Amino acid sequence: MIRAAGDAALSSSLVKSDLVPIATGYVLVMGALAIGLLILRRRGPQPVGVPEPGAPGGWLRFVRHVAELFAGGYLVLMAVIIAYYFGLVRVSGDFIESGFSGCAELLGISAPLFLAASWLDTRRAPRGRGTSAGAKHHRSLGIKKTARPGTMGGMATHVALLRGINVGGRNKVAMPALREVVSSLGHAGVSTYIQSGNVLFSTAHTDAAALAEALEGAIEGAFGIAVSVVVLSGDELAAILRGNPYPDEPDPRRVHVVFLNAEPPRDLLDRIAKAQEAAAAKGSRDTITAAGRVLYLHTPDGYGNSELAQTLFRIAGPKGKATARNWATATKLLALCEDKG
Amino acid sequence: VAQHPVLGYLVWAVLFGAVFAWEGLALSHISGAVPTLSDTLRAITRYPFGRWALFALWLWAGWHFFIRGWQFLLRS
């Protein structure tokens, strides 16, 4: 009788001191992560690099990705358990064994749920966007889709380069809000790189000028600022980087790519040539090379004090359709494009 | 009942409070300079080892919560 009362008190104690707070904490953590996932899903379907099962060959990649995650996570934990509990704390073998078997048990329980949740996350994200206000905005601009709605097939990664945001306290744009705006246009896998307005997204649309126009309108609508946007596909960016006329420059901050929305007209090229001659006459070693709709700017004595760079933006930028990125940023953007596949 | 459950609750409250405060700050920060939890997790899970480490942490927490029964911060 006394023992039963003691057991009841112990159970009550366990419930009060351990179970309730731990369960509450776990629910809170899971709730926070669920909200995070919801936000990520609104921004794009592949926020953590999970391969899309619906894409060609995607199922194999998806299953391999999850299997790799399970095996990798389990092995990392086992390595930590062995190194810490066995190597440092010197606990008994039973404890280590319980770690191995307990975690394997958890894996077995969570594997089907994890697979299903990952599949749902990657599958559901692109759906519903086709009827969004952003998609309607695209249609109003005459942008055609080339892929089956609700799939990632045919989608190409694009980079949108915004001009002059978050510079010197002007044109402040929060990156999470910017991602929301780009996602609202129906684009998938939206992410940003640093604060200077570099947005990566996947879309089936192929008209870069129309995409840029749609983005400019959406940004002005959301933030109330007129920002010019240059959009280019991952393939275009790769071709631009391959065409670097200054491959021997070791400092990536001394080569800039000036992206334009269209090929520069003849008169602009003439003015640039004259500006370059004038700078050279003053002893400057800075040079500009035009190729397609980009200008490569080489400033071997530094970009910040380059008179030619200032002149270039004075003559190329009145319409606000030119934006520059240094070589480090440009190559990073290409790497991010390639990561998105 | 444990001698210092209040301390345990307090520590948990502070930990979760810090997490929610961080998320709130990140979501309200106009410049976007403060990353959200989502940004953070994405930054970690971008790389295979990051994914493994995070999954290992998740397993470790599950092992303690559900297999071992956690005593940490709640009992003497």
Side-chain angles (χ1 to χ4, degrees), chain A residues 254-269:
Chain A
R254 299 192 174 192
V255 175
H256 281 70
V257 185
V258 182
F259 298 92
L260 306 164
N261 254 346
E263 285 197 22
R266 187 72 252 169
D267 66 317
L268 177 59
L269 292 175

Side-chain angles (χ1 to χ4, degrees), chain A:
Chain A
M1 186 74 178
I2 293 170
R3 183 171 177 177
D7 286 347
L10 185 62
S11 297
S12 172
S13 157
L14 277 174
V15 168
K16 283 181 182 172
S17 63
D18 282 9
L19 193 59
V20 170
I22 287 173
T24 306
Y26 195 75
V27 167
L28 284 172
V29 170
M30 291 301 112
L33 288 177
I35 292 169
L37 273 176
L38 193 66
I39 292 169
L40 285 176
R41 201 171 64 190
R42 287 174 64 191
R43 289 175 186 166
Q46 293 176 296
V48 295
V50 180
E52 167 68 25
W59 276 109
L60 187 63
R61 288 179 60 216
F62 174 73
V63 171
R64 198 173 61 201
H65 174 89
V66 175
E68 174 201 288
L69 177 67
F70 272 55
Y74 185 78
L75 289 175
V76 166
L77 182 58
M78 292 310 108
V80 171
I81 286 176
I82 290 169
Y84 178 74
Y85 291 109
F86 189 70
L88 281 176
V89 186
R90 302 280 181 192
V91 296
S92 70
D94 289 349
F95 181 89
I96 306 291
E97 194 184 328
S98 86
F100 275 62
S101 58
C103 291
E105 197 178 322
L106 273 177
L107 271 183
I109 294 168
S110 62
L113 295 172
F114 191 90
L115 265 170
S118 300
W119 176 71
L120 279 176
D121 187 50
T122 55
R123 182 179 169 78
R124 287 178 61 189
R127 289 187 172 172
R129 293 209 176 98
T131 54
S132 68
K136 288 174 185 168
H137 186 50
H138 269 143
R139 283 196 291 275
S140 72
L141 288 166
I143 300 174
K144 294 176 183 172
K145 293 194 81 170
T146 56
R148 187 161 50 94
T151 72
M152 294 290 285
M155 285 195 175
T157 304
H158 286 68
V159 181
L161 305 170
L162 280 63
R163 180 174 184 264
I165 66 161
N166 298 329
V167 177
R170 290 178 293 111
N171 291 347
K172 283 188 176 180
V173 174
M175 292 302 109
L178 178 60
R179 290 192 289 268
E180 292 287 342
V181 168
V182 178
S183 293
S184 76
L185 292 173
H187 301 319
V190 180
S191 61
T192 53
Y193 174 63
I194 59 177
Q195 303 295 311
S196 54
N198 308 292
V199 188
L200 293 100
F201 60 92
S202 297
T203 180
H205 306 303
T206 53
D207 186 338
L211 285 168
E213 189 185 339
L215 282 168
E216 286 169 357
I219 290 167
E220 185 163 14
F223 304 109
I225 53 174
V227 172
S228 69
V229 179
V230 176
V231 172
L232 57 161
S233 69
D235 289 343
E236 282 180 281
L237 181 59
I240 288 167
L241 295 194
R242 277 198 305 272
N244 179 16
Y246 308 107
D248 297 328
E249 172 56 64
D251 187 345
R253 292 166 304 177
R254 299 192 174 192
V255 175
H256 281 70
V257 185
V258 182
F259 298 92
L260 306 164
N261 254 346
E263 285 197 22
R266 187 72 252 169
D267 66 317
L268 177 59
L269 292 175
D270 290 342
R271 293 176 71 189
I272 289 171
K274 283 178 187 169
Q276 190 169 303
E277 286 168 14
K282 292 180 185 175
S284 170
R285 298 190 296 155
D286 299 347
T287 54
I288 295 171
T289 303
R293 61 175 178 132
V294 298
L295 303 169
Y296 299 91
L297 171 64
H298 184 215
T299 53
D301 299 314
Y303 178 75
N305 51 11
S306 168
E307 191 178 316
L308 182 60
Q310 292 174 21
T311 307
L312 174 64
F313 282 100
R314 204 162 48 239
I315 60 180
K319 293 179 184 175
K321 295 293 184 185
T323 185
R325 298 294 183 274
N326 69 29
W327 199 253
T329 300
T331 50
K332 179 66 181 176
L333 288 172
L334 179 60
L336 293 172
C337 279
E338 288 170 348
D339 282 353
K340 281 177 176 282

